[in-house]
Amino acid sequence: MNSRKILALWAAILLGGFGAAIVSGAPQFAKFITVADIERVTGLKGVNIVPKSPDSDDDLTFASQDGKVILAATFLPASAFAGAKSSKAGMKSPLSGVGDEAFVGPASGPLYILVFRKAAYTVILNTELEGTTRARIPIEKLTEIAKIVSSRL
């Protein structure tokens, strides 16, 4: 199952119709993570924000210069963390040092999802996979990005 399907499933299960209200306010989340942040952490140049499409569950999506999605960020209420954490498919292992609570996933395969709770938010950061074995942004860099977002919540 690809990362977009996992996120859509989490959002649907955890929030139902409430998720649509949060997603409609996506520009408000741009203050938590910027193109400059992504470029600095990843070393990539020419990163841009992808305009939000009506069928997207992501609040912010970033693409590389060649147009490939490299990072998607979803902001949910803090209460969503418990449901995400209890997902057998979603959680691989707890992660310390990010927000109030965090974990990485998915439960099997390469790590490309980081979920954390801080203040009023649960934040899901996910990168795409190159093939089936390598994340476009390694989990260590995704952790750095999560710490930036967490510091701004």
Side-chain angles (χ1 to χ4, degrees), residues 7-39:
L7 288 176
L9 179 62
W10 280 358
I13 290 171
L14 299 172
L15 296 174
F18 185 65
I22 292 174
V23 169
S24 67
Q28 76 189 33
F29 301 115
K31 64 186 175 189
F32 299 132
I33 187 163
T34 67
V35 166
D37 296 328
I38 304 302
E39 289 182 334

Side-chain angles (χ1 to χ4, degrees), residues 10-143:
W10 280 358
I13 290 171
L14 299 172
L15 296 174
F18 185 65
I22 292 174
V23 169
S24 67
Q28 76 189 33
F29 301 115
K31 64 186 175 189
F32 299 132
I33 187 163
T34 67
V35 166
D37 296 328
I38 304 302
E39 289 182 334
R40 186 176 68 256
V41 171
T42 64
L44 296 171
K45 300 295 176 212
V47 172
N48 58 69
I49 295 179
V50 177
K52 184 162 178 52
S53 67
D55 62 339
S56 174
D57 292 320
D58 307 324
D59 293 308
L60 295 170
T61 303
F62 298 87
S64 58
Q65 196 168 24
D66 62 3
K68 291 183 179 179
V69 172
I70 57 169
L71 179 68
T74 305
F75 295 81
L76 303 170
S79 60
F81 187 84
K85 184 177 175 183
S86 68
S87 166
K88 291 187 188 318
M91 182 175 151
K92 173 102 177 187
S93 60
L95 178 68
S96 61
V98 178
D100 298 325
E101 254 187 296
F103 68 87
V104 293
S108 62
L111 300 176
Y112 61 93
I113 299 171
L114 190 154
V115 181
F116 72 91
R117 180 183 57 78
K118 171 84 184 274
Y121 296 102
T122 291
V123 180
I124 302 171
L125 300 176
N126 74 292
T127 187
E128 297 292 322
L129 293 177
E130 293 287 348
T132 59
T133 60
R134 188 175 69 83
R136 290 192 180 145
I137 299 176
I139 200 68
E140 297 80 15
K141 298 288 184 185
L142 205 57
T143 301

